[in-house]
Amino acid sequence: MAFRRSYRYPARSRGGGILDWVMTLGFFGLLVFAVVRYGQIEQFNHRGTAIVLDGDTIMLSGQKIRLEGIDAPEFSQTCTDKTGAYACGREAKKQLAALAKAGQVECSGWQNDKYGRFLGTCTAGKTEMNRQMVLSGWAVSYGAFLAEETVAKKAGKGVWRGKFDRPSE
């Protein structure tokens, strides 16, 4: 004698179908977002010899690239220290130029700033230029590199050796 058991599926509520649709649409929305975002991860990758325009902008392969996460004094900006006023914007440009000479410059990123420049992370040889500019005190943190800014500030490096207006001001 075979034992048979009958299974009954629970009745489906009317709201279950709507919930299924919402979850499906949410899943596909997330999938589209991931595909679009993944396509932007490496929008540009340039390498070559850099032309330094100021303390946080270079020209590489014919493209203007703003070093992401930092803000250096404007080229014409002055700062003060114990000896008086000095051209800290020009000093920041000199520092970036010295870094750019350390080896072939390579920049990558996926965004543009409000002026249409690429925002990128750049290296020269094995040195990350963005991080090093903040660490040397010739740029301030602009959304990244807060720890490096603290180190430069405590050591009185670059613009931190005196008084200055933040470049964003």
Side-chain angles (χ1 to χ4, degrees), residues 128-144:
E128 184 182 329
M129 297 166 71
N130 309 46
R131 181 178 313 280
Q132 190 58 42
M133 284 297 290
V134 176
L135 198 54
S136 67
W138 291 112
V140 296
S141 170
Y142 193 72

Side-chain angles (χ1 to χ4, degrees), residues 114-130:
K114 63 184 177 183
Y115 302 108
R117 300 173 295 188
F118 287 125
L119 282 172
T121 301
C122 300
T123 58
K126 294 185 180 187
T127 304
E128 184 182 329
M129 297 166 71
N130 309 46

